[in-house]
Amino acid sequence: MLGAATYEHRPLSLGQSLLTLAIETSCDDTSVAILEKHGDTSANECNTSKLFSATLHFHEKITADNSQFRGVHPLISLDSHQTNLASLIKKALQSLPDASKDDSVASGPVAVRTNGLPVMKRKPDFVTVTRGPGMRSSLSTGIDTAKGLSVAWQVPLVGVNHMQAHALTPRLVSALEHDVSKPMQPSFPFLSLLVSGGHTLLVHSKALTDHGILATTSDIAIGDAIDKIARCVLPAKVLQNSGEIMYGRLLEEFVFPDPPVDYDYQAPARRAEELERKQTRWGWGLRVPLAETRSGSKSKSMEFSFSGLDSSCRRIVEKGNREIGVEERRDLGREAMRVAFEHLASRVVMALQHMQAGMHQNREISTLVLSGGVASNGFLRNILRAFLDIRGYAHIQIVFPPPSLCTDNAAMIAWTGIEMFEAGWDSELGCKALRKWSVDPQADDGGILGATDWRRHGSGDV
């Protein structure tokens, strides 16, 4: 493999830092980041715990214009990646840290043109890129570009799992806070609720590469369901004037014009109350997913289901060919989100109950990570907190990234690359895009480390 002999794996030690350029192109967002993780220069013999901070030197994203399709169109997204990725990387290079006299010929620097003149910048220690899961054509654009940079700079390549990155995002946020007096948070193990337009996963995150799937959707992802409900519920003028395809966010803004005052939410104290179909002032009520089955067993199954909720909303809107008013649309949107989000919360509580009963012989869980595009929804955060509190889990801390890091982004990819690289992993140049790629080592594909083309260096705790 070209350049393999010259690639150096350098674990982070006290006083050192790791620098990576990262690329994210899994769906319709083209994103590039430059992230540096610093070692703890203040540690001493009396304080041997690993304490780190990080600096995000560059982070930008361009989203493909899919508005005319009211959803993500693969060809439009691919065209956007091909149009914007190189320009974003060119811009990002200007933000590389300046080279120092300590940068050797082998490790750097790299010349970057600024105002027509070459400026010596520090060369990244490795290049990180999203390898999957996602749309294969979009992923391949980022991967091929990352391979080119890896070969040109003669540095390793790290292809990371997109969903693993979402789960680790709060650890990135912890490092960016620059408080080296505190250890990295959250520490393993913790629960991860990963909710987006393409995924709905409840995960037991036990270690860097071990994220056991406790529940997943049996039909469509929650983000997809909320988007479909929004297109059905939102008035035509709101849709026409939006100019974007973030329909879930539009629905939230429409339903809750004055959050959090408008939430006015009381979590159900008992399971029986949670499963009740609540009748509204308009005469309709939404059925709780998996609540009404012939055997009744599905109400306790560790799975999610959202397609029926979408169908119910559509039937209400289209019933009798009538035009429903704005207030009824607001109530329908609110009820749809309440039912969907309580469905998520119910499985979190079930998982905690199972662990408490000793079904999982692990350290006690104290943290729930909420990540993915839907995690930016304030009503979801409100429901999860209220639900856990009233069911006896007030001690569980819910952590979620800022909205800018909830959706797909290269910063989380960079951070995951750094954690994987420190653990001793990088990728062969022959690695390819993976449309599907589990985070669970018990899955048929072997999870994160089950993918081909990993290279192992040194030793690390994964």
Side-chain angles (χ1 to χ4, degrees), residues 195 226 247-253 256 263 337-338 341 370 372-384 400-401 403 406:
V195 285
I226 295 296
Y247 299 115
R249 184 171 63 191
L250 286 176
L251 181 63
E252 182 184 8
E253 293 172 353
F256 302 112
Y263 294 160
M337 282 194 286
R338 179 191 65 78
F341 297 160
L370 179 63
V374 184
S376 62
N377 189 298
F379 192 42
L380 170 57
R381 298 179 182 188
N382 180 275
I383 283 181
L384 277 174
F400 37 80
C406 283

Side-chain angles (χ1 to χ4, degrees), residues 331-405:
D331 284 355
L332 180 56
R334 174 194 167 87
E335 275 298 286
M337 282 194 286
R338 179 191 65 78
V339 171
F341 297 160
E342 284 189 351
H343 184 46
L344 290 174
S346 70
R347 269 50 190 177
V348 173
V349 168
M350 285 183 189
L352 291 169
Q353 289 172 338
H354 291 166
M355 292 178 177
Q356 199 173 42
M359 294 181 66
H360 293 266
Q361 299 299 320
N362 297 285
R363 286 178 290 161
E364 183 179 358
I365 297 294
S366 61
T367 303
L368 170 65
V369 167
L370 179 63
S371 194
V374 184
S376 62
N377 189 298
F379 192 42
L380 170 57
R381 298 179 182 188
N382 180 275
I383 283 181
L384 277 174
R385 182 70 275 164
F387 214 95
L388 291 177
D389 288 350
I390 205 166
R391 296 295 180 90
Y393 295 100
H395 66 284
I396 298 292
Q397 179 187 15
I398 303 177
V399 298
F400 37 80
S404 62
L405 295 179

Side-chain angles (χ1 to χ4, degrees), residues 258-273:
D258 186 24
V261 176
D262 291 337
Y263 294 160
D264 190 26
Y265 175 73
Q266 177 64 45
R270 297 179 303 278
R271 178 70 172 156
E273 182 184 348

